[in-house]
Amino acid sequence: MPAPIRPALTRALPVVLNGAAKGKRAILVERGRRVSGDLAFLTTRLIGFGGDDVSPDTVAFLEQMIRDTPIEVVARFCQALLACDMRDALPVLGTVPVTVVVGEKDRLIAARLGIELAAEIPGAQLVWVPGAGHALVLERPDMVNRAITELLARVAGGGLPQSA
């Protein structure tokens, strides 16, 4: 999210979502989400995926998962996510193999944040996925599977980082 609006949005988003997740408003929000199919599809495609080569079925699958998630769950998840800052614990992850997978065209989480995350974790490997967006596991499952397989191989081969 752009830096100038990040603080205001971080404060306002949980309040707005919580308000939308209660009582009659929640019913209206859920109805609105269900009838806005084409717009939801296009938004999911734009925000979730980086490339134009993603099949419409894959976009529809993700859009359906999002639509099926109650707004109350979205609101609570958003609140928990915004309140969670675990940066101070990142060095502890240097004791286990870590792989950070980043989509070049992620529109939800800036790619630079994934790069910074990998740099903050001692011994972490960064997997850069050119042209991919936020829904990496759906957009580039082959690359995600390869990253997981290589991580497991590092674990099996005793690829734990050396203590400093």
Side-chain angles (χ1 to χ4, degrees):
M1 134 182 25
I5 65 168
R6 191 176 310 131
L9 192 58
T10 299
R11 284 188 300 275
L13 191 58
V15 173
V16 170
L17 287 173
N18 276 332
K22 293 183 178 145
K24 292 180 182 178
R25 282 175 276 177
I27 294 167
L28 291 173
V29 168
E30 295 298 349
R31 281 188 190 149
R33 290 173 72 194
R34 281 176 177 55
V35 299
S36 61
D38 288 344
L39 181 58
F41 180 89
L42 294 172
T43 302
T44 301
R45 184 178 193 84
L46 174 68
I47 293 175
F49 301 96
D52 294 332
D53 58 341
V54 178
S55 84
D57 287 343
T58 301
V59 177
F61 173 74
L62 179 57
E63 191 275 323
Q64 183 69 48
M65 282 195 327
I66 293 167
R67 189 174 350 124
D68 287 346
T69 305
I71 191 67
E72 182 180 0
V73 173
V74 174
R76 288 185 183 191
F77 176 75
C78 181
Q79 263 187 309
L81 190 61
L82 290 173
C84 182
D85 185 350
M86 302 297 292
R87 285 178 278 196
D88 291 341
L90 292 178
V92 173
L93 292 176
T95 62
V96 297
V98 173
T99 299
V100 178
V101 185
V102 178
E104 173 190 27
K105 294 184 177 180
D106 191 328
R107 291 179 183 93
L108 287 178
I109 301 173
R112 71 170 172 74
L113 294 174
I115 295 167
E116 291 172 12
L117 177 66
E120 291 292 321
I121 301 171
Q125 289 191 341
L126 174 69
V127 175
W128 180 257
V129 186
H134 188 74
L136 285 166
V137 73
L138 296 174
E139 187 173 10
R140 299 284 188 269
D142 54 332
M143 293 190 81
V144 173
N145 287 342
R146 187 174 20 243
I148 293 169
T149 301
E150 289 173 5
L151 175 64
L152 292 173
R154 284 175 34 216
V155 171
L160 295 174
Q162 299 299 317
S163 300

